[in-house]
Amino acid sequence: MKQEELQAIASQLKHPTGEKGIEMANMMHETNINMTRNSVHNLNISTGNTILELGHGNAGHTAFIFEQAENLKYYGLEMSELMFREARQINRNFVSQKQAFFSVYDGNTIPFEAASFDKIFTVNTIYFWQKPEELLSEIYRVLKSNGNFCLTFAEESFMKTLPFTQFEFELYSTEKALKLIERTAFKIIYTESQTEKVKSKTGELVDRVFTTIVVEK
C-alpha cells in the first residue's frame, strides 16, 4: 500500500468521514466488539447507573450495555460528526425513549458537570488522545466518587505490526498506560491482558493482544 493510502486509513480510524467512514465504522464495530463487551463486563454495571463512553463509533453495541441492568442511562461522546449521526440512527429507539444521549465533543474537554457518571469507558481511543493527562483528569472530574473508569486498548506489540499506525497513532504498552494513569489521582483496581483472533485487513486471522485497565475514583 502507498503511504497516502495508509495515511487515509489512519485518518479514517481517528475521525471517520464520508462513505468510507461508514464502512470503516462497520468494520471497527466488528473487530472491536469483543474488546467492547469485555470493557462493559469489567465495569460491573448495576441498576440505575449512568454510563459515559468516549469514542463510541457507530455505537452498534449500545443494546448490549442496556442488557446489563435495569434503568440505565447511556451517554456517548464522539469527535466525528458522522459517527454521532450514525449512532443516533442505529440507536434511535433508545434515543427516543431518553435512555441514550449522543453528543459531539473536541476530544479534550468533557461537556458535563463534575460527578455526573457512575461508570465511564473507552475502547481503542487512547492512541488519538491529544493531551492524555488532561483528558484523564477530565474523566476523573466527571466520575462520581467510587465510580469506575475502564480503559481498553490493543497492545503496542500488536499495533506496531499494522502499517497505518505510523500515522496519527500514539501506541501504548500496558506499562506505558499504567505509568500515565499513575500520574493522576485514580486508583488502579485491575489490569488484564487477553489474546483474541481478529481478521486482518487482508482477511487472514491474526492474534491481537489487548489490555483492560479498570481504575476507581
Side-chain angles (χ1 to χ4, degrees):
M1 259 192 193
K2 295 194 183 115
Q3 294 287 87
E4 303 87 80
E5 290 175 293
L6 294 172
Q7 212 156 355
I9 290 172
S11 199
Q12 283 287 9
L13 286 166
K14 180 181 181 181
H15 196 128
T17 53
E19 296 239 336
K20 275 267 179 284
I22 290 175
E23 269 173 50
M24 189 64 83
N26 291 335
M27 187 208 73
M28 282 196 285
H29 170 70
E30 249 168 70
T31 56
N32 291 343
I33 191 64
N34 187 42
M35 291 173 77
T36 302
R37 287 181 170 167
N38 187 65
S39 300
V40 169
H41 280 312
N42 275 298
L43 284 173
N44 294 319
I45 291 167
S46 54
T47 302
N49 278 177
T50 304
I51 299 147
L52 172 66
E53 181 178 11
L54 305 180
H56 50 68
N58 69 12
H61 53 272
T62 309
F64 177 75
I65 294 170
F66 285 115
E67 287 166 14
Q68 304 307 305
E70 299 287 312
N71 196 22
L72 302 178
K73 289 254 191 291
Y74 167 92
Y75 289 78
L77 288 178
E78 249 302 336
M79 288 164 64
S80 162
E81 180 77 37
L82 175 69
M83 290 302 95
F84 160 73
R85 290 200 304 271
E86 278 288 287
R88 276 183 61 86
Q89 172 60 22
I90 288 170
N91 295 287
R92 55 193 178 278
N93 291 344
F94 294 126
V95 171
S96 68
Q97 288 161 22
K98 298 203 170 3
Q99 290 174 284
F101 307 84
F102 295 96
S103 312
V104 176
Y105 83 131
D106 64 4
N108 295 314
T109 307
I110 297 177
F112 293 107
E113 288 178 16
S116 294
F117 300 98
D118 300 285
K119 313 284 182 181
I120 302 177
F121 76 106
T122 191
V123 178
N124 283 336
T125 67
I126 191 172
Y127 331 111
F128 309 120
W129 293 2
Q130 294 148 356
K131 299 169 182 169
E133 275 188 69
E134 286 180 32
L135 184 57
L136 280 173
S137 65
E138 273 290 276
I139 292 166
Y140 189 88
R141 180 184 67 78
V142 299
L143 195 59
K144 291 179 185 175
S145 198
N146 300 316
N148 292 116
F149 167 55
C150 182
L151 172 67
T152 302
F153 58 95
E155 281 286 329
E156 180 177 19
S157 55
F158 169 77
M159 292 295 281
K160 67 184 181 197
T161 66
L162 308 174
F164 51 80
T165 59
Q166 62 189 294
F167 306 102
E168 312 223 23
F169 282 72
E170 174 76 32
L171 303 183
Y172 282 81
S173 61
T174 300
E175 186 185 23
K176 182 174 168 182
L178 288 172
K179 277 187 177 154
L180 171 65
I181 292 164
E182 278 160 10
R183 296 201 292 272
T184 71
F186 277 117
K187 188 167 74 181
I188 296 163
I189 300 293
Y190 175 73
T191 304
E192 171 195 56
S193 291
Q194 288 184 35
T195 304
E196 61 174 348
K197 295 261 186 226
V198 288
K199 209 178 265 190
S200 73
K201 302 284 178 296
T202 49
E204 67 222 311
L205 284 177
V206 293
D207 285 336
R208 171 167 69 180
V209 182
F210 71 88
T211 296
T212 297
I213 301 172
V214 182
V215 299
E216 186 178 87
K217 180 170 177 177

